[in-house]
Amino acid sequence: MDVVIGTGKGFFPLESDLIEMAQTKVHRNKRQVTILIIWMILWEVGSESIQYSVLEETESGMFVANLTKDLGLKRGELAERGAQVVFKGNRQHLQLDPQTYDLLLNEKLDREELCGSTEPCVLPFQVLLENPLQFFQAALRVRDINDHAPEFPTREMLLKISEITTPGKLFPLKMAQDLDAGSNGLQSYIISSNPHFHVLTRIRSDGRKFPELVLDKALDREEQPELRLTLTALDGGSPPRSGTTEIQILVLDINDNAPEFAQEQYEAQIPENNSLGSLIITVSARDLDAGSFGEVSYALFQVDDINQPFEINAITGEIRLRKTLDFEEFQSYHVDIEATDGGGLSGKCSLVIKVLDVNDNTPELTMSSLTSPIPENLPDIIVAVFSVSDADSGQNQQIVCSIDDNLPFLLRPSVENFYTLVTEGALDRESQAEYNITITVTDLGTPRLKTQHNITVTVSDVNDNAPAFSQTTYTLRVRENNSPALHIGSVSATDRDSGANAQVTYSLLPPADPQLPLASLVSINADNGQLFALRSLDYEALQAFEFGVRAADRGSPALSSQARVRVLVLDDNDNAPFVLYPPQNGSAPCTELVPRAAEAGYLVTKVVAVDGDSGQNPYLPLPEVAAVEARADPLTVYLVVALASVSSLFLFSVLVFVAVRLCRRSRAASAGRCSGPEGHFPGHLVDVSGAGTLSQSYQYEVCLRGGSGTSEFKFLKPIFPNFVGEAAGRDAEENANFTNNFGFT
């Protein structure tokens, strides 16, 4: 198969090696990709091309050419061989009529948009045929129409010219701009009729035309201190379009030296990512005049140019960046600089700034949705959906997205540039209630640029923790005869959840013993767990009791836990001024102060257990109560033991003293004996001094009698000791009342 390139004048063969390669690939594989590879190889090959032209702004669908005729092909051959029109950049400005295969305009074209100021505006394209493969070079020229008028940057210009300025002096003026090109672009400047000036049209290095005012006749400030002229810019259209501005000329008095720059043109380069305010270059001008006429100030000449991203220091001449540069938008700038002295004279220079391309566009992250708070205990929750983009191209546009590794979240790529942020597993609010997540988006340019986006995700509470008591069992002690509504203790439970899920409510559980009237004994504060005794407790009736308490949160569903409370009722010993303590040795100390005016005697009943057989003893404490009390107050035990020892020693001394006295009076008091059917026991007088348990000195007569297993103490009126002779008779009389029942009289 012959592979040829078509032109407007005929066809000619390619180089032999290209033909051989193309034939080999075509015979090996008929796929479209082979055709495209060959087309890319042949892109620049060809000697001549067909050129068509259309006017800009022509409506789409307009007939451009008979392609079959221009290529010298048979009718219908374009359709049979699958003709295609291909432009660079994949923009289809032309199309083939599906019926006639004539070349038609596919869209309305704007020359200024496609080519800017470049003239001519030529858009190359190719016509590709198959079976056999043929490749035709062609071009579409977009011709300009005069759809833009010249426009000056300002409506008024101000010139200050010295009256001694000689004729022929040139004064550069601000130029107009015309977006059209060629003959439709700006062509010339004219000025209104006047006797002093005419205007010249100049062309600068970049091809743009600017006006210069020429002084024809010397000025006289005294004759005319001010002039006003109209400057007009004309393009070459038919009819021509124009723009105007007014020139105000002030005539100055004797300043004969204008500032002059060291160079007529400066050049500088700057990377597009330079920071605002960075120094680009410093220009310098000098004025030979003295005083204020020699002081120079700087200014940008085209300050109203919308593409002017620079500023100049009026005193130093430093030119700095005031607006961010973008290489993709502008590759260079042409700046005019003016230096003016104190008398109003000025000089001018040019500055060409080239912009250097860098990777200056950071990736962007756009958050589409964010869910916060998220519930705990649920896996794979979608937290956020976002997209990423980069305004750069090529390698600088490729993006990598990441988050910190130590977070329980994952980034999952979605369609195109979208990502989803999901939980890696179930979260626990009690372990961590809030997460600060930084999403980092990095491009692969040089240097690499990145963007970070911070989001805060809170975890909402689920009622997954029951209240926990500080103790599983609480032991409380209450003295009997307490006042009603007495605060006897508290229970406490905490919940690790938050909000209503952590609010704890306390309540009493039904007692295990249905006979226990718990509801009338204690109550609990539902809010703080404080326990109160509802009535006065009686140790003789109830020594201890237990009940359960429940702590429940207010979540849904509510969770709860339980604890046990043991209440020990402590004996207040309020039945008599004497108590048997400790019960093992039978001592009976006084529990309260007995005044001298008290009753003559007290009856104390003692229940004695013999060989494990015990009588009724309502005061016998529970073993655990005694153990708890012994552990709870060791100081009291030590004091009681010490007091008992001292009292016993004192009592023993008194008994010895009384025994000696009684022996001396035994003959005289023959009736003062205690006898009974079971044996003979002597009487004893016990003298308890004020140093003992009682606060006053009393004497008691003690008589012990063995009987049926019971013992009884009887306390009679106090006997005041009297050691004179008449006391013996009274003692004998009192001893006659001694009964054989283990009583004291």
Side-chain angles (χ1 to χ4, degrees):
M1 181 183 72
D2 293 333
V3 180
V4 295
I5 290 183
T7 68
K9 297 181 180 179
F11 308 91
F12 60 90
L14 293 171
E15 297 293 331
S16 59
D17 55 341
L18 295 177
I19 296 175
E20 181 180 357
M21 181 180 65
Q23 289 175 341
T24 302
K25 290 188 177 181
V26 170
H27 288 300
R28 184 185 301 168
N29 195 334
K30 297 294 185 178
R31 295 178 302 175
Q32 183 71 20
V33 65
T34 305
I35 299 174
L36 293 176
I37 293 174
I38 297 173
W39 171 71
M40 292 175 64
I41 296 174
L42 303 179
W43 183 274
E44 301 298 336
V45 179
S47 59
E48 296 181 10
S49 63
I50 305 172
Q51 188 175 95
Y52 304 101
S53 67
V54 294
L55 291 175
E56 67 172 332
E57 304 300 332
T58 301
E59 295 296 330
S60 62
M62 179 183 177
F63 174 83
V64 177
N66 186 334
L67 197 58
T68 302
K69 179 180 178 180
D70 293 343
L71 298 181
L73 301 176
K74 298 177 182 180
R75 186 176 182 179
E77 188 175 353
L78 289 175
E80 294 174 358
R81 297 177 63 182
Q84 300 181 43
V85 177
V86 180
F87 281 83
K88 287 186 178 181
N90 295 326
R91 290 192 62 178
Q92 289 301 108
H93 303 300
L94 298 176
Q95 62 178 343
L96 293 175
D97 189 302
Q99 303 298 329
T100 64
Y101 272 73
D102 290 337
L103 200 59
L104 306 180
L105 193 61
N106 188 45
E107 60 183 1
K108 184 185 291 187
L109 303 179
D110 186 348
R111 192 205 66 80
E112 286 76 22
E113 177 185 354
L114 294 172
C115 299
S117 60
T118 302
E119 183 63 22
C121 180
V122 179
L123 306 176
F125 69 95
Q126 292 76 33
V127 179
L128 186 64
L129 301 181
E130 302 176 8
N131 300 322
L133 179 65
Q134 287 181 296
F135 182 75
F136 299 92
Q137 293 270 22
L140 176 65
R141 178 178 177 180
V142 182
R143 289 180 294 155
D144 184 52
I145 64 173
N146 192 21
D147 56 348
H148 296 89
E151 185 176 350
F152 286 95
T154 60
R155 293 186 177 183
E156 184 176 275
M157 298 183 193
L158 176 63
L159 287 179
K160 297 179 180 180
I161 303 176
S162 174
E163 64 177 347
I164 64 171
T165 303
T166 59
K169 175 70 175 179
L170 300 178
F171 300 93
L173 303 176
K174 296 178 182 179
M175 61 185 173
Q177 295 184 4
D178 193 336
L179 297 180
D180 293 324
S183 61
N184 292 327
L186 192 151
Q187 297 298 318
S188 63
Y189 296 89
I190 61 174
I191 199 167
S192 59
S193 177
N194 70 93
H196 295 281
F197 298 94
H198 75 275
V199 69
L200 297 178
T201 301
R202 302 286 192 182
I203 301 176
R204 68 181 191 180
S205 60
D206 59 355
R208 300 177 68 182
K209 298 177 181 179
F210 66 94
E212 280 190 338
L213 195 63
V214 182
L215 181 62
D216 295 329
K217 180 182 177 182
L219 301 173
D220 187 350
R221 182 178 178 277
E222 288 72 24
E223 180 181 344
Q224 190 176 5
E226 180 179 341
L227 289 82
R228 286 187 175 271
L229 306 175
T230 299
L231 178 65
T232 303
L234 300 173
D235 64 16
S238 180
R241 291 174 176 262
S242 63
T244 62
T245 184
E246 187 174 71
I247 303 176
Q248 181 184 7
I249 300 175
L250 299 179
V251 182
L252 304 179
D253 193 17
I254 307 178
N255 181 22
D256 55 349
N257 288 288
E260 293 183 1
F261 283 93
Q263 299 175 224
E264 289 187 1
Q265 180 171 308
Y266 293 83
E267 293 184 357
Q269 293 181 342
I270 179 174
E272 63 174 331
N273 65 340
N274 257 30
S275 60
L276 299 182
S278 58
L279 178 64
I280 300 173
I281 195 173
T282 301
V283 297
S284 176
R286 58 177 300 197
D287 193 308
L288 298 178
D289 291 323
S292 62
F293 291 150
E295 295 177 356
V296 178
S297 63
Y298 302 92
L300 298 180
F301 200 59
Q302 294 284 140
V303 293
D304 295 320
D305 193 334
I306 59 174
N307 298 322
Q308 188 65 268
F310 311 105
E311 61 184 3
I312 189 169
N313 188 301
I315 299 175
T316 64
E318 294 179 344
I319 298 176
R320 297 182 179 272
L321 187 65
R322 71 174 182 88
K323 180 182 177 183
T324 303
L325 300 178
D326 188 356
F327 177 82
E328 289 73 23
E329 184 178 358
F330 291 100
Q331 291 78 44
S332 66
Y333 293 88
H334 192 109
V335 182
D336 292 324
I337 304 170
E338 182 181 41
T340 306
D341 63 18
L345 299 182
S346 62
K348 178 176 169 291
C349 74
S350 298
L351 170 63
V352 177
I353 300 175
K354 295 183 179 180
V355 182
L356 304 179
D357 187 25
V358 294
N359 182 28
D360 61 332
N361 291 293
T362 58
E364 295 182 357
L365 184 149
T366 303
M367 188 66 62
S368 299
S369 67
L370 175 63
T371 303
S372 180
I374 58 176
E376 63 176 333
N377 300 338
L378 293 179
D380 296 329
I381 298 176
I382 297 179
V383 179
V385 178
F386 61 91
S387 62
V388 294
S389 61
D390 195 307
D392 293 319
S393 60
Q395 189 78 1
N396 296 336
Q397 193 181 32
Q398 299 183 17
I399 293 175
V400 176
C401 193
S402 63
I403 60 174
D404 293 339
D405 295 334
N406 58 349
L407 296 175
F409 297 91
L410 295 175
L411 277 178
R412 292 178 179 172
S414 185
V415 294
E416 296 184 356
N417 292 328
F418 278 84
Y419 288 83
T420 57
L421 179 67
V422 300
T423 57
E424 186 174 9
L427 303 180
D428 184 12
R429 189 205 65 83
E430 288 71 37
S431 299
Q432 187 168 348
E434 182 177 280
Y435 294 90
N436 292 318
I437 305 172
T438 300
I439 303 174
T440 303
V441 184
T442 308
D443 65 21
L444 300 182
T446 302
R448 292 192 175 187
L449 302 178
K450 68 178 181 179
T451 297
Q452 290 186 329
H453 187 86
N454 298 317
I455 60 175
T456 300
V457 178
T458 58
V459 182
S460 62
D461 187 43
V462 174
N463 193 24
D464 56 349
N465 290 282
F469 280 96
S470 58
Q471 301 173 220
T472 57
T473 302
Y474 295 83
T475 300
L476 308 178
R477 299 172 181 83
V478 185
R479 283 282 180 186
E480 66 173 338
N481 300 327
N482 59 282
S483 60
L486 176 67
H487 176 218
I488 61 175
S490 300
V491 296
S492 176
T494 56
D495 196 311
R496 296 180 60 199
D497 293 320
S498 65
N501 297 333
Q503 296 179 8
V504 179
T505 301
Y506 301 91
S507 60
L508 298 177
L509 294 174
D513 184 3
Q515 301 299 323
L516 180 65
L518 183 62
S520 63
L521 291 176
V522 294
S523 68
I524 189 169
N525 188 308
D527 295 326
N528 55 30
Q530 292 183 348
L531 292 165
F532 298 89
L534 296 179
R535 68 182 188 185
S536 179
L537 301 178
D538 187 2
Y539 174 81
E540 288 71 25
L542 183 64
Q543 291 80 34
F545 60 94
E546 291 186 0
F547 57 92
V549 291
R550 176 176 179 265
D553 58 33
R554 298 182 181 178
S556 179
L559 302 178
S560 64
S561 61
Q562 299 178 4
R564 299 297 299 174
V565 178
R566 173 180 294 179
V567 179
L568 303 178
V569 182
L570 304 181
D571 188 12
D572 201 22
N573 299 322
D574 59 348
N575 293 323
F578 301 93
V579 63
L580 190 63
Y581 185 86
Q584 290 79 6
N585 59 19
S587 301
C590 186
T591 63
E592 64 181 16
L593 184 65
V594 179
R596 184 177 300 271
E599 295 185 13
Y602 294 89
L603 177 61
V604 179
T605 302
K606 176 183 178 184
V607 179
V608 180
V610 180
D611 297 330
D613 183 14
S614 63
Q616 295 181 350
N617 186 8
Y619 300 98
L620 185 62
L622 295 175
E624 65 267 22
V625 177
V628 170
E629 290 182 345
R631 291 194 303 269
D633 199 357
L635 180 60
T636 303
V637 175
Y638 298 151
L639 292 176
V640 171
V641 171
L643 183 61
S645 301
V646 174
S647 300
S648 299
L649 181 60
F650 176 75
L651 183 61
F652 177 75
S653 302
V654 172
L655 290 176
V656 172
F657 175 75
V658 172
V660 173
R661 297 278 298 195
L662 291 176
C663 287
R664 292 179 179 177
R665 294 188 303 174
S666 59
R667 292 191 181 96
S670 58
R673 291 176 173 85
C674 184
S675 62
E678 297 178 359
H680 173 75
F681 295 91
H684 299 279
L685 292 177
V686 182
D687 185 7
V688 183
S689 70
T693 303
L694 301 180
S695 59
Q696 303 292 337
S697 296
Y698 293 90
Q699 289 185 349
Y700 299 90
E701 184 179 12
V702 181
C703 181
L704 302 178
R705 182 185 64 186
S708 61
T710 64
S711 299
E712 186 178 69
F713 296 132
K714 289 186 178 181
F715 293 80
L716 300 180
K717 63 183 179 179
I719 302 174
F720 298 98
N722 191 347
F723 299 105
V724 296
E726 63 268 22
R730 187 165 57 248
D731 288 340
E733 179 182 357
E734 291 177 353
N735 288 334
N737 297 325
F738 196 93
T739 59
N740 189 14
N741 58 356
F742 291 136
F744 288 153
T745 57

